[in-house]
Amino acid sequence: QEVIWQRFKAASDAIYAKQKVYRANLAEQYEDNLKKKDELIAQLKAFADFTGDRIDDWTKKSKEVLKLKEDWKKIGFVSKEKAKSTNKDFWGHFKTFFNNKKKFFKQLDEEREVNFKLKEEFCVKAEALAESEDLDRGIKEVISLQKDWKKIGPAPFKKSNQIFERFKKACDAVFDRKRGIQIEADKAFEANYTFRAELVKTLDAAEPGKFDIA
């Protein structure tokens, strides 16, 4: 009985020894994983505080945040005591970043819509000037509108080209009217010059005393 007992105890002790080594290794691995996750959490926290004002910056930061997410997935488990808090910290910062990004684009959309409405008003003014009787004043006002147009921020992407083409067409109409009037004036001047030249030529060729000019 003693022999059997010792044999059983030796087998049990061997199992417990292996289990102890396994748990020690697992604890060490958990601790190593925790350090890696804490490093990622620290990096991600900086992104959660990010407040950019350019689309390119948000796009770049988004790619970096998603890269951290992929790195996070590659890290193994941590102890049960730490798992909940580390997950909460990481995904909390992750959500904060993308919530801030969502707010940025929402505000951007609102600002671009305001810009669009303002550009619509410019179009209406330019279109009215195209029908103005005081063309010189209209040209000055169109030039002023063009300068102010450049100060307005971008309109929504889908409407940007459409509103620009409308404004350009209205401005071109004003300048085209001016060019048309100038062309007609040049033609009249040319016709008048030709008439005078022919008259002078006729007078030069006439016999003395033929034309009695008082």
Side-chain angles (χ1 to χ4, degrees):
Q1 184 175 351
E2 182 62 24
V3 171
I4 292 296
W5 166 249
Q6 291 299 328
R7 180 181 173 186
F8 175 75
K9 185 175 182 301
S12 299
D13 290 343
I15 292 174
Y16 290 136
K18 288 183 178 180
Q19 186 183 52
K20 185 177 181 181
V21 172
Y22 169 76
R23 286 180 175 175
N25 291 337
L26 192 62
E28 184 177 345
Q29 185 178 350
Y30 281 170
E31 192 64 28
D32 183 58
N33 291 341
L34 181 61
K35 290 179 181 178
K36 292 178 181 178
K37 289 193 171 186
D38 283 341
E39 290 175 2
L40 291 183
I41 289 171
Q43 293 179 48
L44 189 57
K45 187 178 185 302
F47 289 95
D49 297 332
F50 175 72
T51 54
D53 57 359
R54 297 177 66 247
I55 294 177
D56 289 345
D57 292 338
W58 280 99
T59 301
K60 180 181 177 182
K61 295 297 182 183
S62 295
K63 291 179 180 178
E64 294 176 13
V65 168
L66 292 174
K67 176 63 169 57
L68 291 178
K69 176 185 175 183
E70 293 303 314
D71 293 340
W72 177 272
K73 289 181 177 180
K74 295 175 183 177
I75 302 174
F77 296 105
V78 299
S79 64
K80 288 184 178 180
E81 293 78 12
K82 297 289 185 178
K84 186 174 181 179
S85 60
T86 53
N87 282 331
K88 182 179 179 181
D89 288 343
F90 182 85
W91 295 111
H93 296 325
F94 185 87
K95 289 179 180 178
T96 297
F97 171 80
F98 281 102
N99 283 337
N100 290 339
K101 180 182 178 181
K102 184 178 180 181
K103 290 177 183 177
F104 165 76
F105 278 96
K106 182 180 179 181
Q107 181 179 353
L108 189 65
D109 289 340
E110 292 173 352
E111 290 175 357
R112 291 192 171 192
E113 198 61 42
V114 170
N115 293 339
F116 177 75
K117 295 295 183 185
L118 187 58
K119 288 185 175 184
E120 273 191 325
E121 293 177 9
F122 274 45
C123 288
V124 171
K125 291 179 180 179
E127 288 163 352
L129 291 172
E131 304 296 329
S132 174
E133 294 182 2
D134 189 348
L135 195 54
D136 289 334
R137 182 183 66 83
I139 288 176
K140 290 180 181 179
E141 291 189 20
V142 163
I143 293 174
S144 178
L145 284 175
Q146 288 177 329
K147 291 179 180 179
D148 291 339
W149 177 279
K150 294 178 180 179
K151 299 175 185 178
I152 304 174
F157 180 76
K158 292 182 179 180
K159 302 177 182 178
S160 182
N161 288 338
Q162 175 187 354
I163 197 67
F164 173 75
E165 290 299 328
R166 179 182 172 185
F167 181 69
K168 181 177 180 297
K169 181 179 179 181
C171 293
D172 288 346
V174 177
F175 293 117
D176 286 344
R177 277 189 64 201
K178 179 65 175 179
R179 280 191 289 268
I181 292 173
Q182 187 62 48
I183 290 172
E184 291 301 320
D186 290 343
K187 287 180 180 179
F189 176 82
E190 190 67 30
N192 190 36
Y193 174 80
T194 302
F195 171 76
R196 288 172 180 269
E198 290 295 329
L199 181 59
V200 170
K201 185 178 178 181
T202 302
L203 289 172
D204 288 342
E207 297 177 5
K210 185 174 183 181
F211 291 96
D212 185 12
I213 301 177

